[in-house]
């Protein structure tokens, strides 16, 4: 069994990953999940982020409707484009920026259990579970790790960006 240098390299790479995320590196444990659990977002901040996202969605719907009318666009095609945008909005934001606009405004980030970005597939699965369960998904925060069902399903955490 090899130890020593390999453990040091792993600890250094975890430190660099946390710093890259804008998170404070851990000092007591080499396991990023422990620090993620201590930085997990409160339900009230997650609800507020959800409300901000709903307002953002309403603005997008309003602007899209005005653009469709202004350009006299084909209704069916515009509906398909709009539906695809709304369906991919959350997964793309989480994959590319670690946050939706609502999360960003509340200082929250969505990360995997190893403090990295979620890949697109996990973000998509997370979003499908979230919209399928609706608000029930947030009401059912599970365990000491304070993960909603859609977070548990994808091994993700919603954390405060600056708390770690």
């Amino acid at each position: 069994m090899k130890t020593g240098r390999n453990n040091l390299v792993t600890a250094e790479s975890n430190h660099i990953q946390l710093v890259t995320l804008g998170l404070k590196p851990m000092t007591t444990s080499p396991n990023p999940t422990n620090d993620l659990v201590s930085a997990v977002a409160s339900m009230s901040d997650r609800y507020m982020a959800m409300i901000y996202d709903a307002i953002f969605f309403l603005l997008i719907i309003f602007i899209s409707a005005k653009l469709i009318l202004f350009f006299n666009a084909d209704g069916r095609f515009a509906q398909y484009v709009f539906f695809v945008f709304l369906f991919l909005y959350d997964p793309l934001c989480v994959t590319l920026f670690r946050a939706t606009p609502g999360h960003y405004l509340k200082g929250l980030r969505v990360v995997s259990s190893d403090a990295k970005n979620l890949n697109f597939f996990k973000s998509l699965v997370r979003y499908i579970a979230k919209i399928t369960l609706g608000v029930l998904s947030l009401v059912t925060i599970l365990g000491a790790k304070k993960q909603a069902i859609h977070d548990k399903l994808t091994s993700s955490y919603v954390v405060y960006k600056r708390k770690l």
Side-chain angles (χ1 to χ4, degrees):
M1 175 181 236
K2 292 184 177 183
T3 56
R5 175 128 174 86
N6 289 340
N7 287 342
L8 180 61
V9 171
T10 303
E12 286 175 8
S13 64
N14 286 340
H15 174 85
I16 290 168
Q17 289 170 357
L18 288 171
V19 170
T20 303
L21 286 171
L23 305 172
K24 187 176 106 185
M26 61 199 150
T27 56
T28 59
S29 168
N31 184 357
T33 304
N34 292 339
D35 281 344
L36 292 175
V37 171
S38 68
V40 74
S42 70
M43 271 185 65
S44 62
D45 283 338
R46 291 181 73 164
Y47 277 123
M48 286 305 297
M50 188 174 64
I51 290 168
Y52 291 160
D53 282 329
I55 292 168
F56 183 74
F57 261 69
L58 290 174
L59 287 172
I60 295 296
I61 290 170
F62 178 76
I63 292 168
S64 297
K66 291 294 184 184
L67 288 173
I68 290 167
L69 291 174
F70 180 76
F71 289 112
N72 198 18
D74 177 28
R76 282 275 188 230
F77 177 74
Q79 287 175 347
Y80 291 133
V81 169
F82 182 69
F83 176 75
V84 167
F85 169 77
L86 286 181
F87 190 72
L88 295 179
Y89 157 81
D90 189 286
L92 284 174
C93 286
V94 169
T95 300
L96 298 174
F97 309 112
R98 296 183 198 107
T100 63
H103 287 126
Y104 188 81
L105 289 171
K106 289 302 293 177
L108 307 177
R109 299 297 181 266
V110 180
V111 296
S112 64
S113 59
D114 58 356
K116 294 181 181 178
N117 284 13
L118 289 182
N119 63 41
F120 181 76
F121 178 74
K122 279 190 172 185
S123 296
L124 185 61
V125 168
R126 182 179 184 275
Y127 182 62
I128 290 170
K130 186 165 52 169
I131 61 173
T132 301
L133 296 169
V135 176
L136 177 64
S137 180
L138 280 181
V139 171
T140 55
I141 299 290
L142 302 173
K145 295 180 180 179
K146 297 180 184 176
Q147 291 173 292
I149 293 171
H150 57 272
D151 295 323
K152 245 189 164 9
L153 184 65
T154 57
S155 299
S156 62
Y157 294 86
V158 178
V159 298
Y160 292 106
K161 180 182 178 189
R162 297 286 174 204
K163 193 166 183 180
L164 290 179

